[in-house]
Amino acid sequence: MANALRRNSSALIPSVTSHCHRCQLDIESDPQCNGRTRILCPFCGEFLSRPNLPNIQQLKQDINRRTRDDNSDDTSSLRSRFSRTFNRVILRKQNMINNNGRTIDHERDQSMSNIKMPAIVNTQEKFTSSTSLPITATTASIVPSVKIYDCDSFQDLINEENPDHDQISAFFSKFYMNFDYMIQTLTLTDNPKQIDWKFLQIIHDYIIKNSDKLFRLVLKTIASCCIREVRACDNTLKGYTILILAPVFDEASNYHIFAHVLRRIAHFVDREHQEIVLLLKTLPVNMFRSTVHRLQTFISTNLFPSRVDNSASTLVNGWWIPCGIRTLALFNSANETINGRIIPLQEMAIDALNYIDGERDYFEWKHRQSRGITGGFTFCQYPFVLSVNAKRTILKRDSEQQMIVNARRSMIQKFQNKQAPDLNMLFLNLYIRRSHLVLDSLAEVTKKREDLKKKLRVTFVGEHGLDMGGLTKEWFLLLLRQIFQPDYGMFVLYESSGVFWFNGASTDNIREYNLVGILMGLAVYNAIILDIRFPLVCYKKLLTPAFIHEHMGNLSKIKIGIITSTLKDFRTIRPDIADSLQYLLDYDGNVADDFGLTFEVSVAQFDTTLVYPLKENGSNIDVTNDNRIEYVELLIDFYINKHISKQFEAFYHGFHSVCSSNALLLLLPEELEMLICGMQQCNLTNLAKITKYENCHPNDQFIKWFWQVIEEMSSDKQRRLLLFVTGSDRMPIGGLSEMTFKIGKISSNRCNINELLPMSHTCFNQLLLPPYPTREILKEKLFLAIENCEGFGIE
């Protein structure tokens, strides 16, 4: 009764229309809010212009006319009111300038303006504010209802020799207006909980194929659905999710309506977002990828609009871009599945964000993090949209700022102690003897622990070389090569996986583990690429937690590096044991009788074998069909967490003593691995495009021979050349485009040119090449140099 009175009272309240000058739309007052006048445009967010209030006599006439129309069985008056509403609220003016500064095609507007609203009959359907208008399509004499199509019947409808365009138009009008009809149409008969994505793809393909006829119809139907502000119902979440998949939003001219749909999705509560994520996980890969690209294009276009005056204003961008990012975050969450990612990680990043002021965005986000400020928006809140290059730039700027702060602190301390400052106080200076590489490195790092966040500079004792970056790279290379030797006992190389892992039996090398962590931290801090072959699970542990706000002296009180590992993670370390565990899980027979396992594990330690229980009294508990999953989980946790806990804690403390920063919160394990190890692929075929020449020309004969030799080199030989010239055999994250490579000509009057070897300046990535008379001599000398070079000259 109360609802009936409310409907009757709202029907007597006249609607007030306001106008949006940006969208060129007449926006009607909300009938569900007792005629409350709208202040903001629901599409672009601009303030609406208020019209003159109508006179009282005219209002009474309108009320009486509407009452007669509602009580009348004649559908013409009802139809005309619907038609006027759609034309007034949805259709734009002809040849208007849209939100992105492009003129809408006049012919399309002309053709769409002639589309008539389908006829409406008096049916037994009951309408509420959360359902669409039961639009039916036919001529005035025969008015069939819009039935629910399945995939086959819809294909028959559109593939007819003379298709019924009125019926097709009525289907699309009702499909995008009524969420209940939409979901009922797309629901699979054999599985009511699943959406028929194949059917939806057919609908999208038909819209794209007939874009001139259907784009405007679909667009105005979606816009009307948004303006009516459909309230929460069972199919609202699925309905809005399907709306953002519509191909009509690929055009920038429709972004003002697309933004409105995104705002609805972004403002759902967490529970509703989780339901949307579960739905997105079932999307086909091509539909998932195309929608992600549509959202990225929407964000990029409004981030760098082509026309400042007509594109998104500050007010629009204030909620357009955040809503787009938050909706994209749902796709990023859905991208993580049990079997891996639906699309690669790098496809979720928005390349346009490489050109924003990432440093300013980061420090604003860092300020909010440190003070616990909630609200607001920064891109760093959603790190998945930032590419590895953008994160590397942020990390580099943060490191540089910390270097400046530490150098300034050292200088102030010198002045306070009335000491004369010198240039060396601004650097972390390490003096290393090649014959005592590990011992000197440990002693220097321990003695200068307070200076670890300064710029690194290495000097090899007894050698006259100024470190401009090349000696630092060489120190990293030689030190890691010695530490990772199998005879050293710190790390174990598993041939089946080709990766190193911590030796749980090595308990006397805790300081060395801390040194390796410091080396990795210094590498990230100083943007040095290392040749380290750790599995991905190591970087997951290194980012657990990624950043600790406590003082570094309190790190030992916090549990670090403890992750919940899966069989997939363990397979990257010990695929042989992982296969055995998978066989155990899939075994159909009696596990207790056929395997004879208990909850304990045997580990070889030097010449003995030690047995560790996986749980309390594990040696007396048999592994059965019921508890084998628990056995596998405990065994994996033992190898990845418990058995190497002391070694990894020292490693973790060493890394974070150098590289502790809020910027680490932005990184995923794959990205941290790439920052430390660079790109594993090595292809120098395009190196000539970025090469600069000194005292020579690319058309010189010996230069042409050099590039011919490069093209014939194997991948291993190219790595050796890269190591010879740059001091590292890994390519930077951005590939060759981020490298500097120089070739210079050298000659000598003291000896024959054929006796000279190529030389390099690793600090400047410069190769010095003699002008050899033949190609064979050039190849021989080049191979001799790159295979036998180490230290400050040939050894």
Side-chain angles (χ1 to χ4, degrees), residues 335-366:
N335 196 37
E336 301 287 343
T337 62
I338 298 177
N339 299 322
R341 292 187 173 90
I342 300 176
I343 61 176
L345 173 67
Q346 57 271 19
E347 290 191 28
M348 295 300 302
I350 303 176
D351 293 334
L353 296 180
N354 292 341
Y355 305 100
I356 67 171
D357 190 353
E359 183 179 0
R360 179 179 179 181
D361 187 83
Y362 165 71
F363 285 112
E364 180 181 352
W365 169 74
K366 181 180 177 181

PDB file of all heavy atoms in Angstrom, residues 335-366:
ATOM      1  N   ASN A 335      42.847 -11.444 -13.128  1.00  0.00           N
ATOM      2  CA  ASN A 335      43.914 -11.986 -13.970  1.00  0.00           C
ATOM      3  C   ASN A 335      44.735 -13.045 -13.251  1.00  0.00           C
ATOM      4  O   ASN A 335      45.385 -13.881 -13.886  1.00  0.00           O
ATOM      5  CB  ASN A 335      44.832 -10.840 -14.425  1.00  0.00           C
ATOM      6  CG  ASN A 335      45.714 -11.234 -15.586  1.00  0.00           C
ATOM      7  OD1 ASN A 335      45.303 -11.968 -16.480  1.00  0.00           O
ATOM      8  ND2 ASN A 335      46.926 -10.738 -15.598  1.00  0.00           N
ATOM      9  N   GLU A 336      44.717 -13.024 -11.912  1.00  0.00           N
ATOM     10  CA  GLU A 336      45.447 -14.015 -11.118  1.00  0.00           C
ATOM     11  C   GLU A 336      44.561 -15.241 -10.918  1.00  0.00           C
ATOM     12  O   GLU A 336      43.584 -15.201 -10.179  1.00  0.00           O
ATOM     13  CB  GLU A 336      45.850 -13.421  -9.767  1.00  0.00           C
ATOM     14  CG  GLU A 336      46.728 -12.191  -9.850  1.00  0.00           C
ATOM     15  CD  GLU A 336      48.146 -12.529 -10.267  1.00  0.00           C
ATOM     16  OE1 GLU A 336      48.524 -13.722 -10.168  1.00  0.00           O
ATOM     17  OE2 GLU A 336      48.869 -11.616 -10.686  1.00  0.00           O
ATOM     18  N   THR A 337      44.901 -16.325 -11.582  1.00  0.00           N
ATOM     19  CA  THR A 337      44.144 -17.569 -11.465  1.00  0.00           C
ATOM     20  C   THR A 337      45.044 -18.667 -10.914  1.00  0.00           C
ATOM     21  O   THR A 337      46.262 -18.498 -10.781  1.00  0.00           O
ATOM     22  CB  THR A 337      43.578 -18.007 -12.827  1.00  0.00           C
ATOM     23  OG1 THR A 337      44.671 -18.250 -13.733  1.00  0.00           O
ATOM     24  CG2 THR A 337      42.677 -16.922 -13.407  1.00  0.00           C
ATOM     25  N   ILE A 338      44.449 -19.796 -10.614  1.00  0.00           N
ATOM     26  CA  ILE A 338      45.214 -20.917 -10.058  1.00  0.00           C
ATOM     27  C   ILE A 338      46.236 -21.415 -11.077  1.00  0.00           C
ATOM     28  O   ILE A 338      47.355 -21.791 -10.732  1.00  0.00           O
ATOM     29  CB  ILE A 338      44.256 -22.055  -9.648  1.00  0.00           C
ATOM     30  CG1 ILE A 338      43.292 -21.573  -8.557  1.00  0.00           C
ATOM     31  CG2 ILE A 338      45.038 -23.273  -9.169  1.00  0.00           C
ATOM     32  CD1 ILE A 338      42.278 -22.602  -8.142  1.00  0.00           C
ATOM     33  N   ASN A 339      45.862 -21.397 -12.339  1.00  0.00           N
ATOM     34  CA  ASN A 339      46.740 -21.912 -13.390  1.00  0.00           C
ATOM     35  C   ASN A 339      47.651 -20.843 -13.983  1.00  0.00           C
ATOM     36  O   ASN A 339      48.246 -21.051 -15.042  1.00  0.00           O
ATOM     37  CB  ASN A 339      45.888 -22.529 -14.503  1.00  0.00           C
ATOM     38  CG  ASN A 339      45.042 -23.681 -14.004  1.00  0.00           C
ATOM     39  OD1 ASN A 339      45.487 -24.461 -13.173  1.00  0.00           O
ATOM     40  ND2 ASN A 339      43.815 -23.781 -14.485  1.00  0.00           N
ATOM     41  N   GLY A 340      47.745 -19.703 -13.330  1.00  0.00           N
ATOM     42  CA  GLY A 340      48.592 -18.628 -13.856  1.00  0.00           C
ATOM     43  C   GLY A 340      47.756 -17.417 -14.217  1.00  0.00           C
ATOM     44  O   GLY A 340      46.623 -17.250 -13.756  1.00  0.00           O
ATOM     45  N   ARG A 341      48.300 -16.579 -15.053  1.00  0.00           N
ATOM     46  CA  ARG A 341      47.612 -15.360 -15.457  1.00  0.00           C
ATOM     47  C   ARG A 341      46.872 -15.570 -16.774  1.00  0.00           C
ATOM     48  O   ARG A 341      47.334 -16.290 -17.656  1.00  0.00           O
ATOM     49  CB  ARG A 341      48.605 -14.208 -15.597  1.00  0.00           C
ATOM     50  CG  ARG A 341      49.203 -13.762 -14.267  1.00  0.00           C
ATOM     51  CD  ARG A 341      50.040 -12.509 -14.461  1.00  0.00           C
ATOM     52  NE  ARG A 341      50.486 -11.967 -13.182  1.00  0.00           N
ATOM     53  CZ  ARG A 341      51.618 -12.309 -12.590  1.00  0.00           C
ATOM     54  NH1 ARG A 341      52.424 -13.171 -13.177  1.00  0.00           N
ATOM     55  NH2 ARG A 341      51.951 -11.798 -11.431  1.00  0.00           N
ATOM     56  N   ILE A 342      45.717 -14.873 -16.890  1.00  0.00           N
ATOM     57  CA  ILE A 342      44.956 -14.936 -18.136  1.00  0.00           C
ATOM     58  C   ILE A 342      45.736 -14.261 -19.252  1.00  0.00           C
ATOM     59  O   ILE A 342      45.843 -14.791 -20.358  1.00  0.00           O
ATOM     60  CB  ILE A 342      43.570 -14.296 -17.950  1.00  0.00           C
ATOM     61  CG1 ILE A 342      42.783 -15.021 -16.856  1.00  0.00           C
ATOM     62  CG2 ILE A 342      42.789 -14.303 -19.257  1.00  0.00           C
ATOM     63  CD1 ILE A 342      41.445 -14.405 -16.546  1.00  0.00           C
ATOM     64  N   ILE A 343      46.277 -13.088 -18.972  1.00  0.00           N
ATOM     65  CA  ILE A 343      47.131 -12.385 -19.915  1.00  0.00           C
ATOM     66  C   ILE A 343      48.441 -12.062 -19.205  1.00  0.00           C
ATOM     67  O   ILE A 343      48.478 -12.007 -17.976  1.00  0.00           O
ATOM     68  CB  ILE A 343      46.471 -11.103 -20.458  1.00  0.00           C
ATOM     69  CG1 ILE A 343      46.176 -10.112 -19.326  1.00  0.00           C
ATOM     70  CG2 ILE A 343      45.210 -11.429 -21.228  1.00  0.00           C
ATOM     71  CD1 ILE A 343      45.601  -8.787 -19.810  1.00  0.00           C
ATOM     72  N   PRO A 344      49.546 -11.854 -19.929  1.00  0.00           N
ATOM     73  CA  PRO A 344      50.828 -11.571 -19.274  1.00  0.00           C
ATOM     74  C   PRO A 344      50.776 -10.333 -18.398  1.00  0.00           C
ATOM     75  O   PRO A 344      49.962  -9.428 -18.598  1.00  0.00           O
ATOM     76  CB  PRO A 344      51.792 -11.381 -20.458  1.00  0.00           C
ATOM     77  CG  PRO A 344      51.159 -12.108 -21.591  1.00  0.00           C
ATOM     78  CD  PRO A 344      49.685 -11.977 -21.396  1.00  0.00           C
ATOM     79  N   LEU A 345      51.670 -10.308 -17.426  1.00  0.00           N
ATOM     80  CA  LEU A 345      51.708  -9.224 -16.454  1.00  0.00           C
ATOM     81  C   LEU A 345      51.905  -7.871 -17.114  1.00  0.00           C
ATOM     82  O   LEU A 345      51.255  -6.892 -16.762  1.00  0.00           O
ATOM     83  CB  LEU A 345      52.841  -9.491 -15.454  1.00  0.00           C
ATOM     84  CG  LEU A 345      53.158  -8.393 -14.444  1.00  0.00           C
ATOM     85  CD1 LEU A 345      52.008  -8.205 -13.476  1.00  0.00           C
ATOM     86  CD2 LEU A 345      54.435  -8.733 -13.677  1.00  0.00           C
ATOM     87  N   GLN A 346      52.795  -7.799 -18.116  1.00  0.00           N
ATOM     88  CA  GLN A 346      53.117  -6.511 -18.725  1.00  0.00           C
ATOM     89  C   GLN A 346      51.955  -5.916 -19.513  1.00  0.00           C
ATOM     90  O   GLN A 346      51.935  -4.716 -19.765  1.00  0.00           O
ATOM     91  CB  GLN A 346      54.344  -6.633 -19.641  1.00  0.00           C
ATOM     92  CG  GLN A 346      54.231  -7.650 -20.747  1.00  0.00           C
ATOM     93  CD  GLN A 346      54.693  -9.039 -20.337  1.00  0.00           C
ATOM     94  OE1 GLN A 346      54.761  -9.326 -19.148  1.00  0.00           O
ATOM     95  NE2 GLN A 346      55.021  -9.882 -21.304  1.00  0.00           N
ATOM     96  N   GLU A 347      50.966  -6.726 -19.881  1.00  0.00           N
ATOM     97  CA  GLU A 347      49.828  -6.201 -20.633  1.00  0.00           C
ATOM     98  C   GLU A 347      48.866  -5.415 -19.749  1.00  0.00           C
ATOM     99  O   GLU A 347      47.998  -4.700 -20.271  1.00  0.00           O
ATOM    100  CB  GLU A 347      49.082  -7.341 -21.333  1.00  0.00           C
ATOM    101  CG  GLU A 347      49.850  -7.972 -22.474  1.00  0.00           C
ATOM    102  CD  GLU A 347      48.997  -8.903 -23.297  1.00  0.00           C
ATOM    103  OE1 GLU A 347      47.766  -8.674 -23.354  1.00  0.00           O
ATOM    104  OE2 GLU A 347      49.535  -9.851 -23.884  1.00  0.00           O
ATOM    105  N   MET A 348      48.988  -5.547 -18.437  1.00  0.00           N
ATOM    106  CA  MET A 348      48.126  -4.785 -17.544  1.00  0.00           C
ATOM    107  C   MET A 348      48.645  -3.361 -17.342  1.00  0.00           C
ATOM    108  O   MET A 348      47.896  -2.487 -16.903  1.00  0.00           O
ATOM    109  CB  MET A 348      48.027  -5.473 -16.185  1.00  0.00           C
ATOM    110  CG  MET A 348      47.355  -6.832 -16.201  1.00  0.00           C
ATOM    111  SD  MET A 348      45.648  -6.807 -16.791  1.00  0.00           S
ATOM    112  CE  MET A 348      44.895  -5.676 -15.633  1.00  0.00           C
ATOM    113  N   ALA A 349      49.899  -3.112 -17.651  1.00  0.00           N
ATOM    114  CA  ALA A 349      50.483  -1.785 -17.440  1.00  0.00           C
ATOM    115  C   ALA A 349      50.028  -0.822 -18.528  1.00  0.00           C
ATOM    116  O   ALA A 349      49.750  -1.213 -19.664  1.00  0.00           O
ATOM    117  CB  ALA A 349      52.007  -1.873 -17.424  1.00  0.00           C
ATOM    118  N   ILE A 350      49.956   0.455 -18.173  1.00  0.00           N
ATOM    119  CA  ILE A 350      49.575   1.516 -19.105  1.00  0.00           C
ATOM    120  C   ILE A 350      50.836   2.282 -19.475  1.00  0.00           C
ATOM    121  O   ILE A 350      51.424   2.973 -18.635  1.00  0.00           O
ATOM    122  CB  ILE A 350      48.518   2.448 -18.473  1.00  0.00           C
ATOM    123  CG1 ILE A 350      47.294   1.650 -18.039  1.00  0.00           C
ATOM    124  CG2 ILE A 350      48.115   3.553 -19.451  1.00  0.00           C
ATOM    125  CD1 ILE A 350      46.247   2.472 -17.319  1.00  0.00           C
ATOM    126  N   ASP A 351      51.254   2.162 -20.720  1.00  0.00           N
ATOM    127  CA  ASP A 351      52.517   2.772 -21.149  1.00  0.00           C
ATOM    128  C   ASP A 351      52.484   4.294 -21.057  1.00  0.00           C
ATOM    129  O   ASP A 351      53.532   4.930 -20.895  1.00  0.00           O
ATOM    130  CB  ASP A 351      52.846   2.341 -22.579  1.00  0.00           C
ATOM    131  CG  ASP A 351      53.161   0.851 -22.663  1.00  0.00           C
ATOM    132  OD1 ASP A 351      53.604   0.285 -21.642  1.00  0.00           O
ATOM    133  OD2 ASP A 351      52.946   0.253 -23.739  1.00  0.00           O
ATOM    134  N   ALA A 352      51.299   4.878 -21.180  1.00  0.00           N
ATOM    135  CA  ALA A 352      51.199   6.341 -21.126  1.00  0.00           C
ATOM    136  C   ALA A 352      51.641   6.889 -19.772  1.00  0.00           C
ATOM    137  O   ALA A 352      52.057   8.053 -19.675  1.00  0.00           O
ATOM    138  CB  ALA A 352      49.763   6.785 -21.433  1.00  0.00           C
ATOM    139  N   LEU A 353      51.582   6.055 -18.729  1.00  0.00           N
ATOM    140  CA  LEU A 353      51.984   6.519 -17.399  1.00  0.00           C
ATOM    141  C   LEU A 353      53.495   6.674 -17.285  1.00  0.00           C
ATOM    142  O   LEU A 353      53.980   7.197 -16.280  1.00  0.00           O
ATOM    143  CB  LEU A 353      51.475   5.549 -16.331  1.00  0.00           C
ATOM    144  CG  LEU A 353      49.947   5.446 -16.206  1.00  0.00           C
ATOM    145  CD1 LEU A 353      49.567   4.466 -15.117  1.00  0.00           C
ATOM    146  CD2 LEU A 353      49.331   6.799 -15.937  1.00  0.00           C
ATOM    147  N   ASN A 354      54.243   6.213 -18.286  1.00  0.00           N
ATOM    148  CA  ASN A 354      55.694   6.443 -18.286  1.00  0.00           C
ATOM    149  C   ASN A 354      56.026   7.926 -18.453  1.00  0.00           C
ATOM    150  O   ASN A 354      57.145   8.342 -18.159  1.00  0.00           O
ATOM    151  CB  ASN A 354      56.365   5.659 -19.410  1.00  0.00           C
ATOM    152  CG  ASN A 354      56.301   4.162 -19.175  1.00  0.00           C
ATOM    153  OD1 ASN A 354      56.077   3.713 -18.053  1.00  0.00           O
ATOM    154  ND2 ASN A 354      56.498   3.384 -20.211  1.00  0.00           N
ATOM    155  N   TYR A 355      55.055   8.705 -18.924  1.00  0.00           N
ATOM    156  CA  TYR A 355      55.309  10.108 -19.237  1.00  0.00           C
ATOM    157  C   TYR A 355      54.704  11.065 -18.208  1.00  0.00           C
ATOM    158  O   TYR A 355      54.749  12.274 -18.403  1.00  0.00           O
ATOM    159  CB  TYR A 355      54.760  10.433 -20.633  1.00  0.00           C
ATOM    160  CG  TYR A 355      55.293   9.517 -21.697  1.00  0.00           C
ATOM    161  CD1 TYR A 355      54.546   8.439 -22.166  1.00  0.00           C
ATOM    162  CD2 TYR A 355      56.577   9.696 -22.210  1.00  0.00           C
ATOM    163  CE1 TYR A 355      55.048   7.580 -23.139  1.00  0.00           C
ATOM    164  CE2 TYR A 355      57.083   8.843 -23.173  1.00  0.00           C
ATOM    165  CZ  TYR A 355      56.317   7.795 -23.639  1.00  0.00           C
ATOM    166  OH  TYR A 355      56.829   6.946 -24.584  1.00  0.00           O
ATOM    167  N   ILE A 356      54.120  10.531 -17.146  1.00  0.00           N
ATOM    168  CA  ILE A 356      53.625  11.407 -16.089  1.00  0.00           C
ATOM    169  C   ILE A 356      54.755  11.695 -15.115  1.00  0.00           C
ATOM    170  O   ILE A 356      55.835  11.098 -15.190  1.00  0.00           O
ATOM    171  CB  ILE A 356      52.426  10.783 -15.346  1.00  0.00           C
ATOM    172  CG1 ILE A 356      52.885   9.539 -14.558  1.00  0.00           C
ATOM    173  CG2 ILE A 356      51.312  10.433 -16.316  1.00  0.00           C
ATOM    174  CD1 ILE A 356      51.837   8.988 -13.621  1.00  0.00           C
ATOM    175  N   ASP A 357      54.513  12.604 -14.196  1.00  0.00           N
ATOM    176  CA  ASP A 357      55.494  12.910 -13.157  1.00  0.00           C
ATOM    177  C   ASP A 357      55.389  11.833 -12.081  1.00  0.00           C
ATOM    178  O   ASP A 357      54.750  12.012 -11.042  1.00  0.00           O
ATOM    179  CB  ASP A 357      55.221  14.298 -12.576  1.00  0.00           C
ATOM    180  CG  ASP A 357      56.335  14.769 -11.660  1.00  0.00           C
ATOM    181  OD1 ASP A 357      57.251  13.969 -11.378  1.00  0.00           O
ATOM    182  OD2 ASP A 357      56.300  15.930 -11.216  1.00  0.00           O
ATOM    183  N   GLY A 358      56.016  10.671 -12.370  1.00  0.00           N
ATOM    184  CA  GLY A 358      55.931   9.545 -11.445  1.00  0.00           C
ATOM    185  C   GLY A 358      56.563   9.830 -10.101  1.00  0.00           C
ATOM    186  O   GLY A 358      56.114   9.322  -9.075  1.00  0.00           O
ATOM    187  N   GLU A 359      57.613  10.653 -10.105  1.00  0.00           N
ATOM    188  CA  GLU A 359      58.283  10.977  -8.844  1.00  0.00           C
ATOM    189  C   GLU A 359      57.341  11.738  -7.919  1.00  0.00           C
ATOM    190  O   GLU A 359      57.260  11.445  -6.721  1.00  0.00           O
ATOM    191  CB  GLU A 359      59.533  11.803  -9.130  1.00  0.00           C
ATOM    192  CG  GLU A 359      60.354  12.132  -7.901  1.00  0.00           C
ATOM    193  CD  GLU A 359      61.607  12.929  -8.235  1.00  0.00           C
ATOM    194  OE1 GLU A 359      61.823  13.211  -9.439  1.00  0.00           O
ATOM    195  OE2 GLU A 359      62.351  13.272  -7.311  1.00  0.00           O
ATOM    196  N   ARG A 360      56.626  12.698  -8.468  1.00  0.00           N
ATOM    197  CA  ARG A 360      55.689  13.467  -7.650  1.00  0.00           C
ATOM    198  C   ARG A 360      54.554  12.587  -7.150  1.00  0.00           C
ATOM    199  O   ARG A 360      54.153  12.678  -5.982  1.00  0.00           O
ATOM    200  CB  ARG A 360      55.133  14.629  -8.475  1.00  0.00           C
ATOM    201  CG  ARG A 360      54.129  15.489  -7.744  1.00  0.00           C
ATOM    202  CD  ARG A 360      53.645  16.618  -8.633  1.00  0.00           C
ATOM    203  NE  ARG A 360      52.658  17.445  -7.960  1.00  0.00           N
ATOM    204  CZ  ARG A 360      52.061  18.500  -8.517  1.00  0.00           C
ATOM    205  NH1 ARG A 360      52.369  18.854  -9.759  1.00  0.00           N
ATOM    206  NH2 ARG A 360      51.169  19.199  -7.838  1.00  0.00           N
ATOM    207  N   ASP A 361      54.040  11.719  -8.036  1.00  0.00           N
ATOM    208  CA  ASP A 361      52.970  10.821  -7.637  1.00  0.00           C
ATOM    209  C   ASP A 361      53.443   9.882  -6.533  1.00  0.00           C
ATOM    210  O   ASP A 361      52.705   9.610  -5.574  1.00  0.00           O
ATOM    211  CB  ASP A 361      52.504  10.011  -8.850  1.00  0.00           C
ATOM    212  CG  ASP A 361      51.279   9.163  -8.546  1.00  0.00           C
ATOM    213  OD1 ASP A 361      50.159   9.692  -8.610  1.00  0.00           O
ATOM    214  OD2 ASP A 361      51.444   7.976  -8.231  1.00  0.00           O
ATOM    215  N   TYR A 362      54.685   9.389  -6.646  1.00  0.00           N
ATOM    216  CA  TYR A 362      55.222   8.463  -5.648  1.00  0.00           C
ATOM    217  C   TYR A 362      55.379   9.140  -4.291  1.00  0.00           C
ATOM    218  O   TYR A 362      54.994   8.577  -3.255  1.00  0.00           O
ATOM    219  CB  TYR A 362      56.565   7.905  -6.121  1.00  0.00           C
ATOM    220  CG  TYR A 362      57.351   7.227  -5.025  1.00  0.00           C
ATOM    221  CD1 TYR A 362      56.943   6.001  -4.499  1.00  0.00           C
ATOM    222  CD2 TYR A 362      58.491   7.818  -4.492  1.00  0.00           C
ATOM    223  CE1 TYR A 362      57.657   5.391  -3.483  1.00  0.00           C
ATOM    224  CE2 TYR A 362      59.210   7.208  -3.476  1.00  0.00           C
ATOM    225  CZ  TYR A 362      58.782   5.991  -2.975  1.00  0.00           C
ATOM    226  OH  TYR A 362      59.487   5.389  -1.968  1.00  0.00           O
ATOM    227  N   PHE A 363      55.964  10.336  -4.272  1.00  0.00           N
ATOM    228  CA  PHE A 363      56.204  10.988  -2.986  1.00  0.00           C
ATOM    229  C   PHE A 363      54.897  11.439  -2.329  1.00  0.00           C
ATOM    230  O   PHE A 363      54.808  11.481  -1.101  1.00  0.00           O
ATOM    231  CB  PHE A 363      57.162  12.156  -3.162  1.00  0.00           C
ATOM    232  CG  PHE A 363      58.590  11.727  -3.354  1.00  0.00           C
ATOM    233  CD1 PHE A 363      59.233  11.904  -4.566  1.00  0.00           C
ATOM    234  CD2 PHE A 363      59.282  11.116  -2.321  1.00  0.00           C
ATOM    235  CE1 PHE A 363      60.534  11.485  -4.749  1.00  0.00           C
ATOM    236  CE2 PHE A 363      60.592  10.699  -2.490  1.00  0.00           C
ATOM    237  CZ  PHE A 363      61.226  10.879  -3.702  1.00  0.00           C
ATOM    238  N   GLU A 364      53.891  11.741  -3.144  1.00  0.00           N
ATOM    239  CA  GLU A 364      52.580  12.035  -2.553  1.00  0.00           C
ATOM    240  C   GLU A 364      51.990  10.770  -1.938  1.00  0.00           C
ATOM    241  O   GLU A 364      51.445  10.803  -0.825  1.00  0.00           O
ATOM    242  CB  GLU A 364      51.636  12.580  -3.623  1.00  0.00           C
ATOM    243  CG  GLU A 364      50.246  12.924  -3.086  1.00  0.00           C
ATOM    244  CD  GLU A 364      49.319  13.441  -4.167  1.00  0.00           C
ATOM    245  OE1 GLU A 364      49.797  13.682  -5.300  1.00  0.00           O
ATOM    246  OE2 GLU A 364      48.123  13.599  -3.876  1.00  0.00           O
ATOM    247  N   TRP A 365      52.111   9.651  -2.633  1.00  0.00           N
ATOM    248  CA  TRP A 365      51.634   8.379  -2.092  1.00  0.00           C
ATOM    249  C   TRP A 365      52.439   7.973  -0.856  1.00  0.00           C
ATOM    250  O   TRP A 365      51.880   7.485   0.132  1.00  0.00           O
ATOM    251  CB  TRP A 365      51.749   7.314  -3.180  1.00  0.00           C
ATOM    252  CG  TRP A 365      51.533   5.915  -2.698  1.00  0.00           C
ATOM    253  CD1 TRP A 365      50.349   5.331  -2.350  1.00  0.00           C
ATOM    254  CD2 TRP A 365      52.532   4.911  -2.508  1.00  0.00           C
ATOM    255  NE1 TRP A 365      50.552   4.028  -1.956  1.00  0.00           N
ATOM    256  CE2 TRP A 365      51.883   3.746  -2.047  1.00  0.00           C
ATOM    257  CE3 TRP A 365      53.910   4.882  -2.692  1.00  0.00           C
ATOM    258  CZ2 TRP A 365      52.567   2.571  -1.770  1.00  0.00           C
ATOM    259  CZ3 TRP A 365      54.599   3.712  -2.420  1.00  0.00           C
ATOM    260  CH2 TRP A 365      53.934   2.570  -1.960  1.00  0.00           C
ATOM    261  N   LYS A 366      53.746   8.179  -0.897  1.00  0.00           N
ATOM    262  CA  LYS A 366      54.601   7.855   0.245  1.00  0.00           C
ATOM    263  C   LYS A 366      54.227   8.699   1.457  1.00  0.00           C
ATOM    264  O   LYS A 366      54.201   8.197   2.599  1.00  0.00           O
ATOM    265  CB  LYS A 366      56.062   8.086  -0.145  1.00  0.00           C
ATOM    266  CG  LYS A 366      57.074   7.772   0.948  1.00  0.00           C
ATOM    267  CD  LYS A 366      58.487   8.045   0.444  1.00  0.00           C
ATOM    268  CE  LYS A 366      59.516   7.808   1.537  1.00  0.00           C
ATOM    269  NZ  LYS A 366      60.895   8.100   1.061  1.00  0.00           N
TER     270      LYS A 366
END
